Amino acid sequence: MKVTEKKHLKVKSIKNGTVIDHITANRALSVLNILNLPDEDTSLTVAMNVESPDMSRKDIVKIENRELSQDEVDKLVLIAPNATINIIRDYEITRKARLELKDEISDVITCSNPNCISNSNEPIKTKFYVQSKKPVILRCHFCERTMDLDDIEEQF
Ligand SMILES: [Zn+2]
């Protein structure tokens, strides 16, 4: 079987749902945490640390009968900034989106500094600046605390 055919079959293996591809290697479990999976009703396929055609390593998550909310996508981009999301309907890819980390992240995660004003009872939305995209490092607008991927993952 030719490589292109193989790839085709892989993506086509679910009838309806979402395929999240190009997840940072070994981060698939955090992706599942964000999506509150596994659960009793959802069929999942998870591939971890597999070789992609360009020889780098990645994770893939296939979720049947489920599409992602914007809230989930906003969190996902922090853990898997290079991921692509394929929406599958009746075995066909109907929509393909590449995640992109913006320069500012608002109201998605909370600051890891317990004394930060965004963690007080004030009605303040959290806000972070993306200090680095590779690796992901965020800096709090209010207290300047920086958060790396491990800090971010702890919240999911
Ligand atoms: Zn803060």
Side-chain angles (χ1 to χ4, degrees):
M1 189 186 283
K2 280 183 287 177
V3 173
T4 48
E5 284 172 6
K6 242 189 195 167
K7 209 174 158 190
H8 204 49
L9 283 175
K10 260 188 180 172
V11 175
K12 279 205 162 188
S13 63
I14 63 174
K15 187 180 182 194
N16 293 297
T18 303
V19 176
I20 309 170
D21 199 355
H22 303 285
I23 298 166
T24 314
N26 295 322
R27 299 288 178 181
L29 297 180
S30 295
V31 169
L32 296 184
N33 281 341
I34 289 170
L35 305 177
N36 290 314
L37 292 171
D39 66 21
E40 286 180 5
D41 308 315
T42 309
S43 294
L44 272 181
T45 310
V46 178
M48 293 181 73
N49 210 29
V50 294
E51 211 165 72
S52 55
D54 70 357
M55 305 301 276
S56 62
R57 298 268 168 178
K58 64 174 183 178
D59 291 2
I60 305 166
V61 173
K62 296 178 201 170
I63 313 157
E64 287 184 45
N65 301 317
R66 167 89 183 261
E67 295 186 8
L68 307 185
S69 69
Q70 188 59 47
D71 184 53
E72 290 168 334
V73 171
D74 287 347
K75 289 176 178 171
L76 213 57
V77 70
L78 297 175
I79 295 294
N82 303 311
T84 53
I85 296 177
N86 301 298
I87 309 292
I88 314 292
R89 286 184 192 145
D90 208 16
Y91 299 107
E92 297 290 337
I93 299 176
T94 58
R95 201 151 51 86
K96 196 173 176 124
R98 194 184 181 88
L99 296 184
E100 209 190 336
L101 197 54
K102 295 180 195 131
D103 296 329
E104 279 183 33
I105 312 287
S106 288
D107 212 19
V108 176
I109 54 166
T110 57
C111 184
S112 62
N113 173 9
N115 298 320
C116 180
I117 190 165
S118 68
N119 283 323
S120 68
N121 290 326
E122 304 293 323
I124 295 174
K125 281 185 181 178
T126 63
K127 182 170 162 183
F128 293 87
Y129 302 108
V130 178
Q131 187 165 305
S132 159
K133 292 189 180 186
K134 273 185 183 180
V136 174
I137 297 173
L138 306 180
R139 181 166 44 83
C140 178
H141 165 73
F142 299 102
C143 73
E144 308 224 311
R145 165 82 57 111
T146 53
M147 292 175 63
D148 64 13
L149 193 52
D150 289 336
D151 298 323
I152 296 165
E153 273 189 320
E154 270 177 24
Q155 304 199 7
F156 299 139

